[in-house]
Amino acid sequence: MQQKNGEPLGAPKHVLIVGGGFGGLRAARDLAGAPVRITLLDRCNHHLFQPLLYQVATAGLTAEEIASPIRSVLRKQRNVRVLLGEVTQVDLEARVAHLAGGQVIGYDYLIVAAGTETNIYGHNDWQPYMVGLKDLEDAFELRRRILLTFEAAERCNNPEERRRLLTFCVIGGGPTGVEMAGAISELSRSILQRDFRAISGDMLRVVLVEMGPRVLAAFDPRLSAQAQKDLAQLGVEVHTKGAVTKISADGVQLGDTYIPCSVVCWAAGVKPQSLAKNMGIAVTRRGNIPVTSDCSIEGHPEAFAVGDIASFIPAGQSLPLPGQAPVAMQQAGSVAANIKRDLKQKKRKPFAYFDKGSMATIGTSRAVLQYGKFRMSGLLAWLAWIFVHVYYIIGFRNRTLVMFNWFWAYLTKRRGARLLAQAVAVPEPSLPAAASSPAQQPAPATEGVA
Amino acid sequence: MQQKNGEPLGAPKHVLIVGGGFGGLRAARDLAGAPVRITLLDRCNHHLFQPLLYQVATAGLTAEEIASPIRSVLRKQRNVRVLLGEVTQVDLEARVAHLAGGQVIGYDYLIVAAGTETNIYGHNDWQPYMVGLKDLEDAFELRRRILLTFEAAERCNNPEERRRLLTFCVIGGGPTGVEMAGAISELSRSILQRDFRAISGDMLRVVLVEMGPRVLAAFDPRLSAQAQKDLAQLGVEVHTKGAVTKISADGVQLGDTYIPCSVVCWAAGVKPQSLAKNMGIAVTRRGNIPVTSDCSIEGHPEAFAVGDIASFIPAGQSLPLPGQAPVAMQQAGSVAANIKRDLKQKKRKPFAYFDKGSMATIGTSRAVLQYGKFRMSGLLAWLAWIFVHVYYIIGFRNRTLVMFNWFWAYLTKRRGARLLAQAVAVPEPSLPAAASSPAQQPAPATEGVA
């Protein structure tokens, strides 16, 4: 391993980074010049620009436009080794990580940045009838179900069943749910409609369900109201105070209200990856790894956790920082800087979060933004949203052409990404469903209603 | 349904087209102005530019660059309805097609253009250990296996096993096999190598197996020799007269020779889709639908078969036309013209094939081309190959930007399409394999060798 500016310290320290998301990647990059050898482990081979994942699910962008192989991103950094693998357990005392498959990797420094996964709060029986939105597989599955239900609707002669096939339900009124509902509505109304003969805009129904009293609860109430207005203009039906009591193959039950629908997107919650529980420490009530003021684990200054798998409570506050990309990146940067300070026998600095504000987009020309006491909505907020996302995409891809493609695709709304890889014969909706696993086929294809 | 130039014929005739490949799509388009209503049925929702499928398998192009939703392609043609569905059977007497799922569709004219599928000649036990190259699913699976085996090799400490992991075997020395072998070698040696730390070019092995005495048997022997030379320069090991006797999880047996390898691509043959056998007529020995001089089925002037599901033997010849895109397109054009002649009570014209020559590419700047007695190889042939493929891609996509992307991607050899959608933990090759279905996981991930 190369040491660009390393003093003769003997063997370089080994930094093990678990996860190649916003936190893990930033940590690896910030340690580029340091006299360490880095191993970055991820279960996937790519870094995913998650904020735009909903666009893959709605056929606006291709996977390649928002994801890059991690080893490509870090190609030029000689002190890092990228491995495909899943860490299932960490022994903090022995300073080793256990991988699925049995391999063991030791470390001098550990940075856990494994993130979160979809949380359905124990309702495992709902699983086959809904799709989360956390990784590319989710996005592909959502896209597949959306496209297939249009195909089924095109062939369906029963108006009631066709109405059900053309009803989409998004659960969770946070930024992901709002963006997803808006994007499904835009995709459906403006694009797919012109390719089909039997479907028209008035048959479509997009429902957004939020348990709390308003969408975008983390934003200013005025922005929530604006977002709700924008959603209504895009044709999205918003049900606030709506608690999902059941999700089945042909619809969603909200207490007394039943919504017959075909595709259900679950954006109502995440939980830390199970690795958090397998590190021999007490996790928080939500399952996060509690960390101290320098993002290290109590009693283990060599082990850090960053991003939404960690729970960092700023001094003098009671709530942990939110699970957002800027938090993960800033924490990773702080951790990398403290490791470098360690190597120079300097004193560590505590992590301080700099809030860059929040934004969410509802659809073309519609977004909300808040920064400190500043609030904005509409076209300008949307342009700011585009600018920030393009800026960060360039940050990791650094390819003008890709950015141009992305921008072009977004503006022209070409939906090139509308491919169904598998050959699928859609059974007639008016015929009995074939006996097949619901997890393998989407609701519209298997659930026939006369 | 609109009738642009239709005389008052009563209800317009219903033309049922089975398959949205080169033949089916051409037939639909050529009937654009005719006073007919068309239903185009396909098992997939996209038209696939199959000649470039190997580039998706080797991460050179994304699926979206070579495939388009059929209903997008035909969006502006008002007399056509596109449906997702699989025709399992045709009753030529009753003039109805039966779909998987039970639906029945009647027709006045039938055009069967359902194509072929991979033929492994009854060796179903080989299936889990090889991948064909006929559709997007195949290409994604090949890409997944290729990328995963590199990941496994990067983590493997046993030189012999690493060598096996880095050995790729392509079976079949026709254009597809030659293109695939060349592309795997180029991908491996020039691209992936620089992203990995533990793998170097001399560990790679790409083997092309051809049963006959030479590769590209349909070409002039001089071009075969040139292709074989080009392959050798790209580092591809060619085994001619090599009969595969067994394919297992960890290698390919060629008589007495055993090739330990990880990824096996099967490009050694295709067979007509099973629909051919389910039409109540005698098929040829190879399973094709025999057709008469106007591409119709004997005794059924209203039912046609075009492309590689059909067997058309030109007058005075003994061999049927080859299963190539130009044959399918020309036949479809002839069928569409004859249907239009029928509607005007004119006499049909027999189909005459115009041979536009053949070409195959081996790698960047390497291709062979023959047209009549003319033969060419090298850079100029490669540029001709590019020109022809870009021309036909534009023909169906008609998007300058897409063509530019494609050309750019091809020239710069960016391999953006290197994403593994699934989170996969690769078990250590030196540990016992996990108990899992071999069809679900690629050989490198499941077959551990100490």
PDB file of all heavy atoms in Angstrom, chain A residues 368-398:
ATOM      1  N   VAL A 368     -40.439  22.460  -2.258  1.00  0.00           N
ATOM      2  CA  VAL A 368     -40.415  23.313  -1.071  1.00  0.00           C
ATOM      3  C   VAL A 368     -39.011  23.261  -0.487  1.00  0.00           C
ATOM      4  O   VAL A 368     -38.303  22.277  -0.651  1.00  0.00           O
ATOM      5  CB  VAL A 368     -41.444  22.862  -0.001  1.00  0.00           C
ATOM      6  CG1 VAL A 368     -42.856  23.037  -0.511  1.00  0.00           C
ATOM      7  CG2 VAL A 368     -41.194  21.422   0.421  1.00  0.00           C
ATOM      8  N   LEU A 369     -38.620  24.325   0.183  1.00  0.00           N
ATOM      9  CA  LEU A 369     -37.256  24.444   0.663  1.00  0.00           C
ATOM     10  C   LEU A 369     -37.266  25.261   1.938  1.00  0.00           C
ATOM     11  O   LEU A 369     -37.983  26.265   2.038  1.00  0.00           O
ATOM     12  CB  LEU A 369     -36.458  25.145  -0.443  1.00  0.00           C
ATOM     13  CG  LEU A 369     -34.988  25.519  -0.343  1.00  0.00           C
ATOM     14  CD1 LEU A 369     -34.496  25.817  -1.749  1.00  0.00           C
ATOM     15  CD2 LEU A 369     -34.746  26.738   0.531  1.00  0.00           C
ATOM     16  N   GLN A 370     -36.524  24.829   2.940  1.00  0.00           N
ATOM     17  CA  GLN A 370     -36.358  25.694   4.107  1.00  0.00           C
ATOM     18  C   GLN A 370     -34.908  25.656   4.567  1.00  0.00           C
ATOM     19  O   GLN A 370     -34.222  24.647   4.476  1.00  0.00           O
ATOM     20  CB  GLN A 370     -37.329  25.321   5.229  1.00  0.00           C
ATOM     21  CG  GLN A 370     -37.090  23.987   5.884  1.00  0.00           C
ATOM     22  CD  GLN A 370     -38.162  23.684   6.933  1.00  0.00           C
ATOM     23  OE1 GLN A 370     -39.309  24.102   6.816  1.00  0.00           O
ATOM     24  NE2 GLN A 370     -37.776  22.949   7.969  1.00  0.00           N
ATOM     25  N   TYR A 371     -34.445  26.821   5.027  1.00  0.00           N
ATOM     26  CA  TYR A 371     -33.070  26.944   5.464  1.00  0.00           C
ATOM     27  C   TYR A 371     -33.096  27.949   6.603  1.00  0.00           C
ATOM     28  O   TYR A 371     -33.389  29.124   6.390  1.00  0.00           O
ATOM     29  CB  TYR A 371     -32.192  27.440   4.318  1.00  0.00           C
ATOM     30  CG  TYR A 371     -30.790  27.791   4.751  1.00  0.00           C
ATOM     31  CD1 TYR A 371     -29.915  26.793   5.199  1.00  0.00           C
ATOM     32  CD2 TYR A 371     -30.361  29.111   4.750  1.00  0.00           C
ATOM     33  CE1 TYR A 371     -28.646  27.115   5.623  1.00  0.00           C
ATOM     34  CE2 TYR A 371     -29.089  29.442   5.162  1.00  0.00           C
ATOM     35  CZ  TYR A 371     -28.231  28.445   5.609  1.00  0.00           C
ATOM     36  OH  TYR A 371     -26.975  28.758   6.034  1.00  0.00           O
ATOM     37  N   GLY A 372     -32.835  27.460   7.820  1.00  0.00           N
ATOM     38  CA  GLY A 372     -32.974  28.334   8.977  1.00  0.00           C
ATOM     39  C   GLY A 372     -34.407  28.855   9.029  1.00  0.00           C
ATOM     40  O   GLY A 372     -35.349  28.081   9.013  1.00  0.00           O
ATOM     41  N   LYS A 373     -34.546  30.173   9.003  1.00  0.00           N
ATOM     42  CA  LYS A 373     -35.901  30.731   9.047  1.00  0.00           C
ATOM     43  C   LYS A 373     -36.444  31.033   7.656  1.00  0.00           C
ATOM     44  O   LYS A 373     -37.551  31.538   7.501  1.00  0.00           O
ATOM     45  CB  LYS A 373     -35.903  32.013   9.892  1.00  0.00           C
ATOM     46  CG  LYS A 373     -35.576  31.716  11.342  1.00  0.00           C
ATOM     47  CD  LYS A 373     -35.981  32.833  12.272  1.00  0.00           C
ATOM     48  CE  LYS A 373     -35.877  32.343  13.711  1.00  0.00           C
ATOM     49  NZ  LYS A 373     -35.907  33.435  14.682  1.00  0.00           N
ATOM     50  N   PHE A 374     -35.623  30.744   6.652  1.00  0.00           N
ATOM     51  CA  PHE A 374     -36.021  31.032   5.280  1.00  0.00           C
ATOM     52  C   PHE A 374     -36.884  29.905   4.704  1.00  0.00           C
ATOM     53  O   PHE A 374     -36.576  28.731   4.883  1.00  0.00           O
ATOM     54  CB  PHE A 374     -34.754  31.224   4.435  1.00  0.00           C
ATOM     55  CG  PHE A 374     -35.025  31.495   2.999  1.00  0.00           C
ATOM     56  CD1 PHE A 374     -35.510  32.734   2.587  1.00  0.00           C
ATOM     57  CD2 PHE A 374     -34.798  30.509   2.044  1.00  0.00           C
ATOM     58  CE1 PHE A 374     -35.763  32.982   1.246  1.00  0.00           C
ATOM     59  CE2 PHE A 374     -35.050  30.762   0.709  1.00  0.00           C
ATOM     60  CZ  PHE A 374     -35.524  31.998   0.312  1.00  0.00           C
ATOM     61  N   ARG A 375     -37.987  30.265   4.045  1.00  0.00           N
ATOM     62  CA  ARG A 375     -38.866  29.291   3.410  1.00  0.00           C
ATOM     63  C   ARG A 375     -39.128  29.694   1.976  1.00  0.00           C
ATOM     64  O   ARG A 375     -39.309  30.876   1.683  1.00  0.00           O
ATOM     65  CB  ARG A 375     -40.225  29.226   4.116  1.00  0.00           C
ATOM     66  CG  ARG A 375     -40.288  28.358   5.335  1.00  0.00           C
ATOM     67  CD  ARG A 375     -40.406  29.169   6.595  1.00  0.00           C
ATOM     68  NE  ARG A 375     -40.276  28.373   7.803  1.00  0.00           N
ATOM     69  CZ  ARG A 375     -39.124  27.855   8.230  1.00  0.00           C
ATOM     70  NH1 ARG A 375     -38.018  27.991   7.526  1.00  0.00           N
ATOM     71  NH2 ARG A 375     -39.071  27.186   9.360  1.00  0.00           N
ATOM     72  N   MET A 376     -39.213  28.681   1.088  1.00  0.00           N
ATOM     73  CA  MET A 376     -39.479  29.007  -0.308  1.00  0.00           C
ATOM     74  C   MET A 376     -40.228  27.835  -0.921  1.00  0.00           C
ATOM     75  O   MET A 376     -40.052  26.691  -0.527  1.00  0.00           O
ATOM     76  CB  MET A 376     -38.152  29.229  -1.034  1.00  0.00           C
ATOM     77  CG  MET A 376     -38.292  29.723  -2.447  1.00  0.00           C
ATOM     78  SD  MET A 376     -36.737  30.433  -3.062  1.00  0.00           S
ATOM     79  CE  MET A 376     -35.764  28.984  -3.326  1.00  0.00           C
ATOM     80  N   SER A 377     -41.077  28.153  -1.919  1.00  0.00           N
ATOM     81  CA  SER A 377     -41.743  27.071  -2.644  1.00  0.00           C
ATOM     82  C   SER A 377     -41.922  27.497  -4.086  1.00  0.00           C
ATOM     83  O   SER A 377     -41.676  28.650  -4.437  1.00  0.00           O
ATOM     84  CB  SER A 377     -43.090  26.742  -1.997  1.00  0.00           C
ATOM     85  OG  SER A 377     -43.939  27.862  -2.064  1.00  0.00           O
ATOM     86  N   GLY A 378     -42.322  26.552  -4.953  1.00  0.00           N
ATOM     87  CA  GLY A 378     -42.569  26.890  -6.352  1.00  0.00           C
ATOM     88  C   GLY A 378     -41.363  26.678  -7.238  1.00  0.00           C
ATOM     89  O   GLY A 378     -40.440  25.934  -6.906  1.00  0.00           O
ATOM     90  N   LEU A 379     -41.372  27.393  -8.369  1.00  0.00           N
ATOM     91  CA  LEU A 379     -40.361  27.192  -9.406  1.00  0.00           C
ATOM     92  C   LEU A 379     -38.935  27.426  -8.899  1.00  0.00           C
ATOM     93  O   LEU A 379     -38.027  26.635  -9.170  1.00  0.00           O
ATOM     94  CB  LEU A 379     -40.651  28.116 -10.599  1.00  0.00           C
ATOM     95  CG  LEU A 379     -39.656  28.027 -11.762  1.00  0.00           C
ATOM     96  CD1 LEU A 379     -39.710  26.662 -12.413  1.00  0.00           C
ATOM     97  CD2 LEU A 379     -39.938  29.109 -12.809  1.00  0.00           C
ATOM     98  N   LEU A 380     -38.732  28.509  -8.139  1.00  0.00           N
ATOM     99  CA  LEU A 380     -37.376  28.815  -7.676  1.00  0.00           C
ATOM    100  C   LEU A 380     -36.864  27.715  -6.752  1.00  0.00           C
ATOM    101  O   LEU A 380     -35.703  27.307  -6.835  1.00  0.00           O
ATOM    102  CB  LEU A 380     -37.349  30.168  -6.954  1.00  0.00           C
ATOM    103  CG  LEU A 380     -37.032  31.363  -7.839  1.00  0.00           C
ATOM    104  CD1 LEU A 380     -37.000  32.652  -7.005  1.00  0.00           C
ATOM    105  CD2 LEU A 380     -35.692  31.179  -8.551  1.00  0.00           C
ATOM    106  N   ALA A 381     -37.740  27.235  -5.878  1.00  0.00           N
ATOM    107  CA  ALA A 381     -37.342  26.150  -4.980  1.00  0.00           C
ATOM    108  C   ALA A 381     -36.999  24.905  -5.791  1.00  0.00           C
ATOM    109  O   ALA A 381     -36.059  24.174  -5.478  1.00  0.00           O
ATOM    110  CB  ALA A 381     -38.468  25.841  -3.987  1.00  0.00           C
ATOM    111  N   TRP A 382     -37.748  24.698  -6.865  1.00  0.00           N
ATOM    112  CA  TRP A 382     -37.505  23.527  -7.710  1.00  0.00           C
ATOM    113  C   TRP A 382     -36.153  23.650  -8.428  1.00  0.00           C
ATOM    114  O   TRP A 382     -35.380  22.698  -8.511  1.00  0.00           O
ATOM    115  CB  TRP A 382     -38.645  23.389  -8.727  1.00  0.00           C
ATOM    116  CG  TRP A 382     -38.544  22.192  -9.604  1.00  0.00           C
ATOM    117  CD1 TRP A 382     -38.716  20.890  -9.231  1.00  0.00           C
ATOM    118  CD2 TRP A 382     -38.244  22.165 -10.997  1.00  0.00           C
ATOM    119  NE1 TRP A 382     -38.548  20.066 -10.310  1.00  0.00           N
ATOM    120  CE2 TRP A 382     -38.260  20.819 -11.411  1.00  0.00           C
ATOM    121  CE3 TRP A 382     -37.971  23.153 -11.946  1.00  0.00           C
ATOM    122  CZ2 TRP A 382     -38.005  20.439 -12.723  1.00  0.00           C
ATOM    123  CZ3 TRP A 382     -37.727  22.765 -13.250  1.00  0.00           C
ATOM    124  CH2 TRP A 382     -37.740  21.420 -13.631  1.00  0.00           C
ATOM    125  N   LEU A 383     -35.864  24.845  -8.902  1.00  0.00           N
ATOM    126  CA  LEU A 383     -34.565  25.054  -9.562  1.00  0.00           C
ATOM    127  C   LEU A 383     -33.428  24.848  -8.555  1.00  0.00           C
ATOM    128  O   LEU A 383     -32.389  24.273  -8.878  1.00  0.00           O
ATOM    129  CB  LEU A 383     -34.502  26.444 -10.200  1.00  0.00           C
ATOM    130  CG  LEU A 383     -35.410  26.610 -11.425  1.00  0.00           C
ATOM    131  CD1 LEU A 383     -35.398  28.059 -11.919  1.00  0.00           C
ATOM    132  CD2 LEU A 383     -34.986  25.671 -12.554  1.00  0.00           C
ATOM    133  N   ALA A 384     -33.646  25.322  -7.330  1.00  0.00           N
ATOM    134  CA  ALA A 384     -32.632  25.110  -6.290  1.00  0.00           C
ATOM    135  C   ALA A 384     -32.463  23.616  -6.036  1.00  0.00           C
ATOM    136  O   ALA A 384     -31.349  23.110  -5.879  1.00  0.00           O
ATOM    137  CB  ALA A 384     -33.043  25.826  -5.000  1.00  0.00           C
ATOM    138  N   TRP A 385     -33.582  22.899  -6.024  1.00  0.00           N
ATOM    139  CA  TRP A 385     -33.543  21.447  -5.816  1.00  0.00           C
ATOM    140  C   TRP A 385     -32.725  20.782  -6.919  1.00  0.00           C
ATOM    141  O   TRP A 385     -31.853  19.952  -6.660  1.00  0.00           O
ATOM    142  CB  TRP A 385     -34.984  20.909  -5.792  1.00  0.00           C
ATOM    143  CG  TRP A 385     -35.077  19.435  -5.603  1.00  0.00           C
ATOM    144  CD1 TRP A 385     -35.134  18.766  -4.421  1.00  0.00           C
ATOM    145  CD2 TRP A 385     -35.111  18.438  -6.623  1.00  0.00           C
ATOM    146  NE1 TRP A 385     -35.196  17.418  -4.651  1.00  0.00           N
ATOM    147  CE2 TRP A 385     -35.185  17.190  -5.991  1.00  0.00           C
ATOM    148  CE3 TRP A 385     -35.075  18.476  -8.023  1.00  0.00           C
ATOM    149  CZ2 TRP A 385     -35.234  15.987  -6.698  1.00  0.00           C
ATOM    150  CZ3 TRP A 385     -35.111  17.289  -8.739  1.00  0.00           C
ATOM    151  CH2 TRP A 385     -35.196  16.070  -8.073  1.00  0.00           C
ATOM    152  N   ILE A 386     -32.980  21.178  -8.168  1.00  0.00           N
ATOM    153  CA  ILE A 386     -32.220  20.620  -9.289  1.00  0.00           C
ATOM    154  C   ILE A 386     -30.746  20.931  -9.121  1.00  0.00           C
ATOM    155  O   ILE A 386     -29.877  20.067  -9.257  1.00  0.00           O
ATOM    156  CB  ILE A 386     -32.719  21.204 -10.636  1.00  0.00           C
ATOM    157  CG1 ILE A 386     -34.066  20.603 -10.977  1.00  0.00           C
ATOM    158  CG2 ILE A 386     -31.710  20.936 -11.748  1.00  0.00           C
ATOM    159  CD1 ILE A 386     -34.417  20.702 -12.445  1.00  0.00           C
ATOM    160  N   PHE A 387     -30.448  22.184  -8.796  1.00  0.00           N
ATOM    161  CA  PHE A 387     -29.059  22.597  -8.686  1.00  0.00           C
ATOM    162  C   PHE A 387     -28.320  21.751  -7.640  1.00  0.00           C
ATOM    163  O   PHE A 387     -27.249  21.218  -7.882  1.00  0.00           O
ATOM    164  CB  PHE A 387     -28.979  24.087  -8.326  1.00  0.00           C
ATOM    165  CG  PHE A 387     -27.578  24.563  -8.115  1.00  0.00           C
ATOM    166  CD1 PHE A 387     -26.763  24.864  -9.197  1.00  0.00           C
ATOM    167  CD2 PHE A 387     -27.054  24.686  -6.831  1.00  0.00           C
ATOM    168  CE1 PHE A 387     -25.458  25.275  -9.005  1.00  0.00           C
ATOM    169  CE2 PHE A 387     -25.744  25.091  -6.634  1.00  0.00           C
ATOM    170  CZ  PHE A 387     -24.945  25.392  -7.724  1.00  0.00           C
ATOM    171  N   VAL A 388     -28.931  21.605  -6.471  1.00  0.00           N
ATOM    172  CA  VAL A 388     -28.288  20.857  -5.390  1.00  0.00           C
ATOM    173  C   VAL A 388     -28.080  19.401  -5.792  1.00  0.00           C
ATOM    174  O   VAL A 388     -27.021  18.821  -5.575  1.00  0.00           O
ATOM    175  CB  VAL A 388     -29.137  20.951  -4.099  1.00  0.00           C
ATOM    176  CG1 VAL A 388     -28.677  19.928  -3.072  1.00  0.00           C
ATOM    177  CG2 VAL A 388     -29.035  22.358  -3.524  1.00  0.00           C
ATOM    178  N   HIS A 389     -29.084  18.800  -6.441  1.00  0.00           N
ATOM    179  CA  HIS A 389     -28.953  17.392  -6.799  1.00  0.00           C
ATOM    180  C   HIS A 389     -27.923  17.181  -7.897  1.00  0.00           C
ATOM    181  O   HIS A 389     -27.145  16.241  -7.859  1.00  0.00           O
ATOM    182  CB  HIS A 389     -30.319  16.804  -7.159  1.00  0.00           C
ATOM    183  CG  HIS A 389     -31.160  16.558  -5.944  1.00  0.00           C
ATOM    184  ND1 HIS A 389     -31.774  17.572  -5.253  1.00  0.00           N
ATOM    185  CD2 HIS A 389     -31.431  15.412  -5.253  1.00  0.00           C
ATOM    186  CE1 HIS A 389     -32.415  17.071  -4.212  1.00  0.00           C
ATOM    187  NE2 HIS A 389     -32.220  15.764  -4.187  1.00  0.00           N
ATOM    188  N   VAL A 390     -27.918  18.078  -8.860  1.00  0.00           N
ATOM    189  CA  VAL A 390     -26.911  17.971  -9.911  1.00  0.00           C
ATOM    190  C   VAL A 390     -25.514  18.146  -9.310  1.00  0.00           C
ATOM    191  O   VAL A 390     -24.578  17.417  -9.618  1.00  0.00           O
ATOM    192  CB  VAL A 390     -27.173  18.997 -11.038  1.00  0.00           C
ATOM    193  CG1 VAL A 390     -25.951  19.153 -11.926  1.00  0.00           C
ATOM    194  CG2 VAL A 390     -28.377  18.569 -11.866  1.00  0.00           C
ATOM    195  N   TYR A 391     -25.410  19.087  -8.400  1.00  0.00           N
ATOM    196  CA  TYR A 391     -24.115  19.354  -7.762  1.00  0.00           C
ATOM    197  C   TYR A 391     -23.590  18.102  -7.060  1.00  0.00           C
ATOM    198  O   TYR A 391     -22.445  17.703  -7.217  1.00  0.00           O
ATOM    199  CB  TYR A 391     -24.276  20.507  -6.761  1.00  0.00           C
ATOM    200  CG  TYR A 391     -23.022  20.825  -5.989  1.00  0.00           C
ATOM    201  CD1 TYR A 391     -22.039  21.651  -6.536  1.00  0.00           C
ATOM    202  CD2 TYR A 391     -22.810  20.298  -4.720  1.00  0.00           C
ATOM    203  CE1 TYR A 391     -20.887  21.937  -5.834  1.00  0.00           C
ATOM    204  CE2 TYR A 391     -21.657  20.572  -4.015  1.00  0.00           C
ATOM    205  CZ  TYR A 391     -20.692  21.395  -4.571  1.00  0.00           C
ATOM    206  OH  TYR A 391     -19.547  21.669  -3.875  1.00  0.00           O
ATOM    207  N   TYR A 392     -24.440  17.444  -6.298  1.00  0.00           N
ATOM    208  CA  TYR A 392     -23.984  16.264  -5.568  1.00  0.00           C
ATOM    209  C   TYR A 392     -23.769  15.060  -6.474  1.00  0.00           C
ATOM    210  O   TYR A 392     -22.898  14.243  -6.238  1.00  0.00           O
ATOM    211  CB  TYR A 392     -24.930  15.926  -4.409  1.00  0.00           C
ATOM    212  CG  TYR A 392     -24.646  16.798  -3.213  1.00  0.00           C
ATOM    213  CD1 TYR A 392     -25.470  17.852  -2.871  1.00  0.00           C
ATOM    214  CD2 TYR A 392     -23.493  16.579  -2.450  1.00  0.00           C
ATOM    215  CE1 TYR A 392     -25.183  18.663  -1.790  1.00  0.00           C
ATOM    216  CE2 TYR A 392     -23.197  17.393  -1.372  1.00  0.00           C
ATOM    217  CZ  TYR A 392     -24.046  18.431  -1.039  1.00  0.00           C
ATOM    218  OH  TYR A 392     -23.744  19.237   0.020  1.00  0.00           O
ATOM    219  N   ILE A 393     -24.569  14.951  -7.522  1.00  0.00           N
ATOM    220  CA  ILE A 393     -24.346  13.855  -8.477  1.00  0.00           C
ATOM    221  C   ILE A 393     -22.988  14.027  -9.127  1.00  0.00           C
ATOM    222  O   ILE A 393     -22.206  13.088  -9.264  1.00  0.00           O
ATOM    223  CB  ILE A 393     -25.456  13.823  -9.559  1.00  0.00           C
ATOM    224  CG1 ILE A 393     -26.676  13.121  -9.016  1.00  0.00           C
ATOM    225  CG2 ILE A 393     -24.944  13.142 -10.815  1.00  0.00           C
ATOM    226  CD1 ILE A 393     -27.264  12.083  -9.933  1.00  0.00           C
ATOM    227  N   ILE A 394     -22.670  15.255  -9.524  1.00  0.00           N
ATOM    228  CA  ILE A 394     -21.362  15.496 -10.121  1.00  0.00           C
ATOM    229  C   ILE A 394     -20.277  15.150  -9.122  1.00  0.00           C
ATOM    230  O   ILE A 394     -19.255  14.577  -9.452  1.00  0.00           O
ATOM    231  CB  ILE A 394     -21.229  16.955 -10.573  1.00  0.00           C
ATOM    232  CG1 ILE A 394     -22.221  17.239 -11.682  1.00  0.00           C
ATOM    233  CG2 ILE A 394     -19.821  17.229 -11.074  1.00  0.00           C
ATOM    234  CD1 ILE A 394     -22.186  18.662 -12.146  1.00  0.00           C
ATOM    235  N   GLY A 395     -20.540  15.465  -7.866  1.00  0.00           N
ATOM    236  CA  GLY A 395     -19.556  15.185  -6.828  1.00  0.00           C
ATOM    237  C   GLY A 395     -19.078  13.753  -6.839  1.00  0.00           C
ATOM    238  O   GLY A 395     -17.914  13.488  -6.594  1.00  0.00           O
ATOM    239  N   PHE A 396     -19.979  12.833  -7.140  1.00  0.00           N
ATOM    240  CA  PHE A 396     -19.489  11.465  -7.120  1.00  0.00           C
ATOM    241  C   PHE A 396     -19.281  10.881  -8.505  1.00  0.00           C
ATOM    242  O   PHE A 396     -18.508   9.965  -8.673  1.00  0.00           O
ATOM    243  CB  PHE A 396     -20.332  10.568  -6.197  1.00  0.00           C
ATOM    244  CG  PHE A 396     -21.460   9.819  -6.833  1.00  0.00           C
ATOM    245  CD1 PHE A 396     -21.235   8.551  -7.381  1.00  0.00           C
ATOM    246  CD2 PHE A 396     -22.747  10.322  -6.865  1.00  0.00           C
ATOM    247  CE1 PHE A 396     -22.276   7.843  -7.939  1.00  0.00           C
ATOM    248  CE2 PHE A 396     -23.786   9.608  -7.418  1.00  0.00           C
ATOM    249  CZ  PHE A 396     -23.541   8.370  -7.968  1.00  0.00           C
ATOM    250  N   ARG A 397     -19.933  11.415  -9.516  1.00  0.00           N
ATOM    251  CA  ARG A 397     -19.743  10.840 -10.844  1.00  0.00           C
ATOM    252  C   ARG A 397     -18.751  11.626 -11.671  1.00  0.00           C
ATOM    253  O   ARG A 397     -18.002  11.078 -12.450  1.00  0.00           O
ATOM    254  CB  ARG A 397     -21.068  10.760 -11.588  1.00  0.00           C
ATOM    255  CG  ARG A 397     -22.036   9.839 -10.885  1.00  0.00           C
ATOM    256  CD  ARG A 397     -22.961   9.200 -11.863  1.00  0.00           C
ATOM    257  NE  ARG A 397     -22.253   8.314 -12.769  1.00  0.00           N
ATOM    258  CZ  ARG A 397     -22.820   7.312 -13.385  1.00  0.00           C
ATOM    259  NH1 ARG A 397     -24.078   7.065 -13.210  1.00  0.00           N
ATOM    260  NH2 ARG A 397     -22.128   6.563 -14.207  1.00  0.00           N
ATOM    261  N   ASN A 398     -18.830  12.956 -11.508  1.00  0.00           N
ATOM    262  CA  ASN A 398     -17.878  13.808 -12.195  1.00  0.00           C
ATOM    263  C   ASN A 398     -17.863  13.584 -13.693  1.00  0.00           C
ATOM    264  O   ASN A 398     -16.818  13.542 -14.323  1.00  0.00           O
ATOM    265  CB  ASN A 398     -16.481  13.583 -11.610  1.00  0.00           C
ATOM    266  CG  ASN A 398     -15.574  14.772 -11.876  1.00  0.00           C
ATOM    267  OD1 ASN A 398     -16.048  15.845 -12.231  1.00  0.00           O
ATOM    268  ND2 ASN A 398     -14.287  14.574 -11.734  1.00  0.00           N
TER     269      ASN A 398
END
